[in-house]
Amino acid sequence: MKTRITYLQPPSSPFTSTQATLTPSSLKISDLDAAKEVRVTVDLSEVDDDEVRSILTNLHEVHIRWAREQPYGIVSPFGSRVSAGLGVGVSPLQGGDDGDGEGVCRLLRRMFGTGIECANYMDSFTSPPVVSTRFASTSTYQFHSSLPEHNLGEYIVKNICREEGAACAAEWGAADSIDVDYDAVSRALVVSGYWGQPVTPEGWTEEIRAPGRDRDRVEVGLLGTEKAVEAEEIKWCANCSEPTLFSFPSRHHVLPREATFDVSFPRPTGTHPTMTISLSPAALEYPAAPEDTTCALHAYLTLPSYIFGDKYQLSTDDPLFLESHHLVALRAVSGATDLEAPDWFVPHWGSNWLLELATPSAGQVPEEWNVTVPLHLRYLRPSESGYRSAGVPWPVVFWACTAEEGTKMGTNPFDRLNLGWDGMFGPRTMFYQVHPSGEKTRHVEDLDVPVLRLEEGGFFSSKTVELGTMAAIVLGLLWVLWKLGSVARSSGRKKSDKEKKSQ
């Protein structure tokens, strides 16, 4: 097992040598104000779970991304986001034994908990959109689930680090995001956790002990950010009291803190809610990318099955519609987009939408720029109150900029790939992340959806409506048959009259 722990301090928090004490058996960190990443790499044979090993053996690759609903900050090089909840990308191994695809769902329930509604990757998962076959690098199937809480920390301690080492000492339950990756080529399972800030106000205070087994490794990095020379690069210093500087190109970059967006649904939402994405003036400014690049602002929506967009409406080229909503185009869509099916008839988890957003002209940036996306709610099951709560995660908003031909993106040891939306762009694309507003306690919008009200008695009880509907259908069918019979008899009499006249 290999464990890599990285602390990244902002420029406002200088590092002193007294905050890190190295001994032959451990490294002690004291009151360190920094973002933190813990990355654990194990061979599949080291995982102490026979069922999980069996499931992963039949898969080519698995990419799991979980992010908390509450606001959290990101810093370079960890400058990427996904929508709140659990996102999964899976590519089955050709000729594998998991033909029904149920093993993937069992894997998710064993790692994260039993609250994941998933049957198999053939029915519950969706096929991701492919913008260009030349650049396609996404998984074969995708899945998303609202998962405010998880049991992954317990699983890591019990089955991966086996209750020993620095990986088990990490507070996985407090992590802002967690990634799990596996590929059949390396047969390595990689688990990464990210904390945007220390879990205590005083900062990180912990002791990282040397591994107990000879084959295990622990790497610790104390880094501080520096201003990069090239626009596509990020730059740090290691042990900044005696700096060792290094930099390299990065796919993901972080915009200034003022570059934010907010999400809301005007009330009352009804059954046709409109998502409003409000962008600050700083978010609309062209990112500090290299001069030869072309950038465009995008939003990637992850919509559960009970809410969806009309792909025929959003893919229009009508300039009046697009300008009124501050949209440029619908670039990609996948998943459950049936316009008529109620939610209980939709087997898939939901749908993904990649929209290119319009920006105001240079020099005419308003105080607030609102992008509106018209959506639709499916019919949900009845409830006693007459309403059901439906959570809609905030989208991911980012600038996508094409990099220069000679730029190589494969040298960043902290790069984060397979996020669901990054694979739809070219391999040299750079992304500049717009920050979700921290004014709300959750990056999930709850909608009150009107549904049929369940009542034991009364004229408008669900049973009465059900029987009344059936009666109306039967009476309507009888009326149609009666009319058809009347027409047939009338035409028969006219034919008989004509025959008599001809005789």
Side-chain angles (χ1 to χ4, degrees), residues 28-160:
K28 295 181 180 180
I29 303 295
S30 302
D31 302 330
L32 188 65
D33 181 18
K36 174 184 175 183
E37 185 204 44
V38 177
R39 181 183 178 95
V40 185
T41 304
V42 297
D43 187 85
L44 185 59
S45 61
E46 298 182 67
V47 178
D48 193 16
D49 190 328
D50 295 338
E51 183 175 8
V52 168
R53 289 202 308 270
S54 176
I55 294 171
L56 291 177
T57 301
N58 293 296
L59 299 174
H60 176 63
E61 61 177 3
V62 179
H63 304 289
I64 301 174
R65 305 287 180 261
W66 177 87
R68 67 169 58 255
E69 296 180 350
Q70 292 74 23
Y72 63 91
I74 57 173
V75 294
S76 294
F78 312 115
S80 61
R81 288 187 184 272
V82 293
S83 292
L86 175 67
V88 184
V90 175
S91 295
L93 190 66
Q94 293 184 356
D97 296 332
D98 191 17
D100 56 3
E102 294 181 358
V104 175
C105 297
R106 295 199 306 271
L107 169 72
L108 297 177
R109 284 190 283 267
R110 286 188 70 85
M111 284 189 167
F112 287 88
T114 58
I116 299 175
E117 296 182 2
C118 172
N120 54 68
Y121 60 67
M122 297 298 295
D123 296 328
S124 302
F125 286 52
T126 60
S127 297
V130 177
V131 178
S132 171
T133 55
R134 178 184 175 188
F135 297 138
S137 60
T138 56
S139 302
T140 307
Y141 300 101
Q142 288 184 343
F143 177 79
H144 185 272
S145 175
S146 173
L147 197 67
E149 298 179 353
H150 60 84
N151 301 325
L152 182 58
E154 299 177 10
Y155 185 88
I156 294 172
V157 172
K158 181 179 179 181
N159 298 283
I160 296 180

Side-chain angles (χ1 to χ4, degrees), residues 365-445:
V365 179
E367 288 297 323
E368 189 177 80
W369 181 262
N370 292 328
V371 176
T372 53
V373 183
L375 301 174
H376 307 271
L377 284 165
R378 300 189 186 278
Y379 292 113
L380 300 180
R381 295 187 181 278
S383 70
E384 295 180 356
S385 64
Y387 290 90
R388 282 194 178 275
S389 179
V392 182
W394 285 23
V396 181
V397 181
F398 57 91
W399 287 85
C401 304
T402 56
E404 297 178 355
E405 286 294 327
T407 303
K408 296 182 180 180
M409 294 292 187
T411 58
N412 187 344
F414 302 98
D415 222 347
R416 195 182 184 200
L417 305 174
N418 302 293
L419 303 175
W421 50 267
D422 59 330
M424 292 185 285
F425 297 87
R428 287 187 296 271
T429 304
M430 294 180 296
F431 304 102
Y432 293 81
Q433 206 76 51
V434 182
H435 305 282
S437 172
E439 296 180 0
K440 296 183 180 179
T441 58
R442 298 171 66 229
H443 288 159
V444 175
E445 294 296 308

Side-chain angles (χ1 to χ4, degrees), residues 216-386:
D216 292 346
R217 294 289 183 270
V218 176
E219 299 176 356
V220 181
L222 302 174
L223 306 179
T225 56
E226 294 284 336
K227 184 175 178 58
V229 177
E230 302 294 336
E232 73 273 14
E233 293 184 341
I234 52 179
K235 184 177 182 180
W236 304 294
C237 61
N239 187 12
C240 299
S241 58
E242 299 177 0
T244 300
L245 300 178
F246 58 96
S247 61
F248 37 75
S250 177
R251 283 183 176 86
H252 299 283
H253 299 261
V254 179
L255 291 174
R257 292 183 178 181
E258 297 78 19
T260 62
F261 73 95
D262 200 345
V263 175
S264 62
F265 285 87
R267 310 288 178 174
T269 57
T271 57
H272 301 280
T274 298
M275 176 183 287
T276 301
I277 304 173
S278 302
L279 294 148
S280 67
L284 300 170
E285 294 181 3
Y286 213 74
E291 295 181 357
D292 297 335
T293 59
T294 302
C295 301
L297 186 61
H298 293 79
Y300 185 72
L301 279 64
T302 301
L303 302 179
S305 60
Y306 42 75
I307 187 169
F308 64 101
D310 185 343
K311 62 181 179 181
Y312 304 103
Q313 179 188 36
L314 293 175
S315 61
T316 182
D317 55 1
D318 180 8
L320 293 178
F321 174 84
L322 295 174
E323 289 175 8
S324 64
H325 292 282
H326 291 160
L327 297 173
V328 174
L330 172 65
R331 295 304 182 192
V333 59
S334 68
T337 58
D338 192 313
L339 298 177
E340 303 295 336
D343 187 55
W344 55 87
F345 278 169
V346 178
H348 301 105
W349 65 267
S351 57
N352 289 122
W353 305 75
L354 179 64
L355 295 165
E356 183 177 342
L357 310 183
T359 56
S361 303
Q364 300 180 2
V365 179
E367 288 297 323
E368 189 177 80
W369 181 262
N370 292 328
V371 176
T372 53
V373 183
L375 301 174
H376 307 271
L377 284 165
R378 300 189 186 278
Y379 292 113
L380 300 180
R381 295 187 181 278
S383 70
E384 295 180 356
S385 64

